[in-house]
Amino acid sequence: MARSFTFSFFFFFIFKSQYTTVVFSQNTTQQRFKEAPKFYNSPTCNTLQHHPNDTCPRNAVHVAMTLDVAYIRGSMAAILSVLQHSSCPENVIFHFLSAASKPSSFTTLNQTLTNSFPYLNFQIYPFDDIAVSRLISTSIRSALDTPLNYARSYLADLLPHCVVRVVYLDSDLILVDDIAKLASTPLSDTEVLAAPEYCSANFSTYFTPSFWANPSLSLSFSNRKRPCYFNTGVMVIDLQRWRAGDYTTVIEEWMELQKRMRIYELGSLPPFLLVFAGRIAAVDRRWNQHGLGGDNFRGLCRELHPGPVSLLHWSGKGKPWVRLDAKMPCPLDVLWAPSLFWFGISIKFP
């Protein structure tokens, strides 16, 4: 199924032609989205098990994403791709984190999801972006300094405690395989999260020379198996273990240290590496074909890594919808483009 994406996405446009018009502000564009069809479970799917003392079914696939106006087209494509390729789409529950400082956007985003995905099982949670912004240090690219980029560190605090395991996804990706396979990644008793690892990357470059020159800091990795880079845009997280280890506080402590003495350059990623590198369950790289947005400086086009594909991720500076609008797409942006046409997105300037 992982290689079927080239064909399956081209069937998206055949469904309903009813539009939802969303106006984000008087100074921005107007975006129109079609209503998605309802996706049904296959006959082999289990019925969701609701327990009297819990507000969420135990056997659901829980997916967490951030949600904001700037990335709404990416989010819509990601949601659609999850449902389109899931064998049990009715068992997928979405948890969206949106900036609490923007209540008007919060309302608009909720309406957009409700109108475009009327059958979607989802909840939007307000994320205290103002409080987190005080912990953020500038990085090599301003987009990385957005407080919502740090929301993934607060999933255990924001989601209901009955959510035991969640798949976190960035908004600049599409799945071409069943998310239940990713969600079922086994974790050992000592592992909190799972993600594809990239041990060929130069791990030392993610931290400053002053970090490596300070033994009290560099020895943070001494009692682990080989620490490797992993991309935090696709993770499977055990929220119970996260809460038990109070890892949100641990990450915040590294962020506070970064404010006092610069020890890394890349936004929300290095704190995750400091806490979890060398301690995660490895996931097959097919689940994060990342870097398709190019490098953080120039946004140059990139090709897929060798091997099978289950998830395409436009991490990096360039986003496919921006390059398509500018009529300067990279070759792989054509794989994202059908979602644009399925939703019937139309850009109009007031």
Side-chain angles (χ1 to χ4, degrees):
M1 185 173 184
R3 283 291 186 182
S4 66
F5 60 88
T6 304
F7 303 101
S8 61
F9 269 110
F10 281 96
F11 288 102
F12 281 6
F13 68 91
I14 66 174
F15 295 108
K16 300 175 70 172
S17 60
Q18 177 180 349
Y19 287 93
T20 297
T21 301
V22 182
V23 182
F24 292 125
S25 77
Q26 293 181 349
N27 298 319
T28 59
T29 60
Q30 188 179 78
Q31 303 193 47
R32 303 174 67 198
F33 300 94
K34 289 181 181 178
E35 181 184 313
K38 182 176 182 179
F39 294 91
Y40 293 92
N41 282 354
S42 68
T44 58
C45 296
N46 294 323
T47 303
L48 289 180
Q49 299 172 3
H50 292 270
H51 295 266
N53 298 327
D54 285 347
T55 59
C56 47
R58 294 286 179 87
N59 60 330
V61 174
H62 294 278
V63 179
M65 300 174 64
T66 58
L67 200 64
D68 68 350
V69 168
Y71 280 77
I72 185 61
R73 296 204 302 187
S75 301
M76 299 289 273
I79 296 166
L80 184 64
S81 72
V82 170
L83 299 174
Q84 172 78 4
H85 293 89
S86 175
S87 58
C88 304
E90 294 176 275
N91 291 4
V92 180
I93 299 176
F94 286 87
H95 306 268
F96 298 108
L97 279 56
S98 182
S101 66
K102 303 175 182 177
S104 60
S105 295
F106 189 98
T107 301
T108 299
L109 292 166
N110 184 72
Q111 179 185 1
T112 302
L113 288 177
T114 301
N115 291 338
S116 295
F117 295 101
Y119 306 101
L120 193 68
N121 192 343
F122 76 92
Q123 178 70 39
I124 303 181
Y125 307 84
F127 169 65
D128 192 351
D129 51 315
I130 293 178
V132 174
S133 65
R134 302 188 185 102
L135 294 171
I136 298 175
S137 303
T138 57
S139 61
I140 62 173
R141 186 160 61 93
S142 60
L144 300 175
D145 302 336
T146 304
L148 208 55
N149 284 338
Y150 292 79
R152 71 198 80 193
S153 302
Y154 297 87
L155 290 171
D157 300 328
L158 296 172
L159 270 58
H161 278 223
C162 59
V163 178
V164 175
R165 175 179 289 216
V166 68
V167 178
Y168 174 81
L169 300 175
D170 274 350
S171 296
D172 53 357
L173 54 78
I174 53 174
L175 276 82
V176 292
D177 205 343
D178 192 340
I179 195 170
K181 299 177 185 177
L182 176 61
S184 63
T185 301
L187 295 170
S188 73
D189 293 340
T190 60
E191 291 166 337
V192 177
L193 64 84
E197 288 185 305
Y198 300 87
C199 294
S200 60
N202 187 348
F203 189 79
S204 63
T205 61
Y206 293 96
F207 303 94
T208 62
S210 60
F211 172 87
W212 295 112
N214 188 326
S216 64
L217 297 179
S218 58
L219 288 175
S220 302
F221 298 109
S222 61
N223 295 323
R224 312 184 194 185
K225 66 179 182 180
R226 179 185 177 186
C228 296
Y229 161 77
F230 63 93
N231 181 277
T232 55
V234 179
M235 297 184 290
V236 181
I237 305 174
D238 187 309
L239 295 179
Q240 285 187 332
R241 294 177 186 173
W242 182 291
R243 296 179 185 113
D246 195 16
Y247 288 111
T248 298
T249 298
V250 178
I251 287 175
E252 286 186 335
E253 289 172 350
W254 281 113
M255 293 173 66
E256 289 169 352
L257 179 61
Q258 165 75 352
K259 295 283 285 188
R260 299 197 300 270
M261 55 179 294
R262 198 167 186 85
I263 59 175
Y264 55 79
E265 303 290 352
L266 278 172
S268 63
L269 169 64
F272 267 84
L273 297 180
L274 284 162
V275 178
F276 295 111
R279 295 172 172 169
I280 71 171
V283 177
D284 193 290
R285 295 182 187 179
R286 69 194 300 156
W287 287 104
N288 196 352
Q289 285 271 354
H290 73 290
L292 304 186
D295 62 73
N296 287 323
F297 294 101
R298 293 164 293 177
L300 298 178
C301 296
R302 288 183 177 175
E303 297 181 353
L304 290 174
H305 308 294
V309 182
S310 290
L311 184 151
L312 297 100
H313 187 186
W314 278 263
S315 59
K317 184 177 181 180
K319 303 307 174 189
W321 55 91
V322 175
R323 295 193 294 222
L324 288 161
D325 287 350
K327 302 188 186 309
M328 298 177 61
C330 288
L332 288 174
D333 293 345
V334 70
L335 302 178
W336 188 92
S339 64
L340 179 100
F341 297 117
W342 186 92
F343 274 118
I345 296 174
S346 173
I347 304 301
K348 295 183 178 180
F349 293 91

